Amino acid sequence: MRGGTFEFPYDKLLIATGAAPHVPDVPGTDLPGVMVLKNLDDGRKMKQFLQEIPVRKTVILGMGYIAMEMCEAMRAREIEVDMVKPGPVFIPWMNPQLASLVRKELEANQVGVHLGHLLHKIVKTEKGLKVICEDLILDCQMVLIAVGIRPCSELAEKAGLILGPSKSIAVDKKMLTSDENIYAAGDCSDAYHVVTGQKTWIPLALRANRAGWAVADNVLGAGIEVEGVAGTAVYKVFDLEVARTGLSVEDAKKHSFEPSEAVIESRTRAHTYPGGSPLFVEMVGDRKSGRLLGVHIVGKEGAAHRINAPAVALHAGMTVEEFSQTDLAYAPPFGPSWDPMLTASNQLLKGM
Ligand SMILES: Cc1cc2nc3c(=O)[nH]c(=O)nc-3n(C[C@H](O)[C@H](O)[C@H](O)COP(=O)(O)OP(=O)(O)OC[C@H]3O[C@@H](n4cnc5c(N)ncnc54)[C@H](O)[C@@H]3O)c2cc1C
């Protein structure tokens, strides 16, 4: 049922309301041409707008993965793009050396990157739209707001359910909320982080899907427990693959670890094999316990799938030393004989 009010009795209820884009509370965000991208309807609206209005320039508010992926979509249509965000750091969770590669990739594709500019308002002009920040004004015909999302947990909150990080609905490993007859799953709910053991809110597709399946099993009495998330994520920025799993140095400090970090440059293919390119790895470990805490990878190929090895290591609670002893595959088209994951762990061990 869409948009209506109804009453429906239940034995077991699942709340799977997802997340909604955050829209800054400033004038002009409701103007035609100011968009968010959350679902297929949003995508269709954007496509229709691009067909109807000659858009030469788009301003993207935000610099998360959706913002960066949309840069590529806009540039493929030869639309100029400027990205704006209030914070001073481009990708705060990533080592600056790796983050600068991502920024350079955007700039090499003529994307303007404007840090430290808080949005004041968006106004309509004769030629389209004007994005007004304190010391920056950008003319454009379209604005994409991609400044983050928030869990749709209002219903749960009103029902008195306990909320977790970022006001997501708190669930146990069986996806049960604080009410024994109500489950919650997906972007609206929280999860355990496998590295910290603490609750976290990381809205991504696999864990939403997995939680949904677990609820279906548990409603039928299976008693399935979902272990948790490592925050594994990948995205593409033009010709670069960006991948992460686990904790950044800052995350690690917040959770009382003593992080040590190694940043290495390796290759995507053996040096004897044509067509290789640099692959950069940031690896974080805990000085106290020796545990592997997190990995970030940036490169033109081999970053996205390579992240799965450290993700598994995080789930297994491996130390950096244990990870450095793993038997990872080698053949010249796919990497050096010492996989970049092993080179990074060997370097990290030296400083731990
Ligand atoms: C542009 C974009 C790209 C993405 N790319 C990736 C990616 O590459 N990898 C990845 O892992 N994740 C990605 N994600 C995130 C991924 O889409 C979400 O994690 C996933 O869809 C969450 O599933 P969900 O079922 O919890 O929520 P949703 O898919 O958001 O579904 C929630 C549903 O609940 C409905 N709803 C909300 N409130 C109510 C209510 N009160 N009553 C009834 N229904 C309600 C909504 O309309 C919606 O249909 C992307 C997201 C976006 C927006």
Side-chain angles (χ1 to χ4, degrees), residues 188-256:
C188 64
S189 63
D190 68 5
Y192 285 93
H193 198 292
V194 294
V195 179
T196 66
Q198 308 283 310
K199 284 299 194 73
T200 186
W201 184 60
I202 302 179
L204 285 170
L206 168 64
R207 71 124 196 163
N209 228 291
R210 181 177 277 149
W213 279 95
V215 173
D217 285 336
N218 289 341
V219 166
L220 297 174
I224 301 282
E225 293 204 342
V226 175
E227 211 46 54
V229 295
T232 312
V234 290
Y235 59 95
K236 184 169 170 286
V237 181
F238 293 95
D239 285 339
L240 275 188
E241 297 175 8
V242 181
R244 70 177 295 185
T245 190
L247 306 184
S248 66
V249 171
E250 284 311 310
D251 292 336
K253 284 182 192 160
K254 276 184 211 147
H255 286 93
S256 306

Side-chain angles (χ1 to χ4, degrees), residues 165-336:
S166 306
K167 295 190 94 177
S168 56
I169 306 167
V171 290
D172 65 11
K173 290 186 176 176
K174 293 192 171 84
M175 304 299 133
L176 257 187
T177 66
S178 50
D179 181 310
E180 62 182 355
N181 293 314
I182 305 180
Y183 293 87
D187 282 4
C188 64
S189 63
D190 68 5
Y192 285 93
H193 198 292
V194 294
V195 179
T196 66
Q198 308 283 310
K199 284 299 194 73
T200 186
W201 184 60
I202 302 179
L204 285 170
L206 168 64
R207 71 124 196 163
N209 228 291
R210 181 177 277 149
W213 279 95
V215 173
D217 285 336
N218 289 341
V219 166
L220 297 174
I224 301 282
E225 293 204 342
V226 175
E227 211 46 54
V229 295
T232 312
V234 290
Y235 59 95
K236 184 169 170 286
V237 181
F238 293 95
D239 285 339
L240 275 188
E241 297 175 8
V242 181
R244 70 177 295 185
T245 190
L247 306 184
S248 66
V249 171
E250 284 311 310
D251 292 336
K253 284 182 192 160
K254 276 184 211 147
H255 286 93
S256 306
F257 291 105
E258 270 179 36
S260 177
E261 175 196 39
V263 176
I264 63 126
E265 176 180 345
S266 182
R267 301 284 297 171
T268 61
R269 304 180 190 183
H271 69 279
T272 49
Y273 198 88
S277 56
L279 191 82
F280 294 82
V281 182
E282 174 195 7
M283 189 172 281
V284 183
D286 179 32
R287 282 204 175 89
K288 278 189 288 185
S289 63
R291 268 179 76 190
L292 179 67
L293 297 179
V295 175
H296 304 143
I297 315 175
V298 174
K300 283 191 190 293
E301 59 181 7
H305 284 101
R306 208 165 242 121
I307 202 69
N308 288 330
V312 172
L314 293 179
H315 278 267
M318 278 187 175
T319 63
V320 177
E321 189 164 12
E322 285 166 339
F323 186 52
S324 76
Q325 294 289 337
T326 52
D327 184 20
L328 301 186
Y330 161 66
F334 307 112

Side-chain angles (χ1 to χ4, degrees), residues 16-19 37-38 65-66 186-187 203-205 208:
T17 43
L37 179 62
K38 174 60 188 135
Y65 75 92
I66 292 174
D187 282 4
L204 285 170

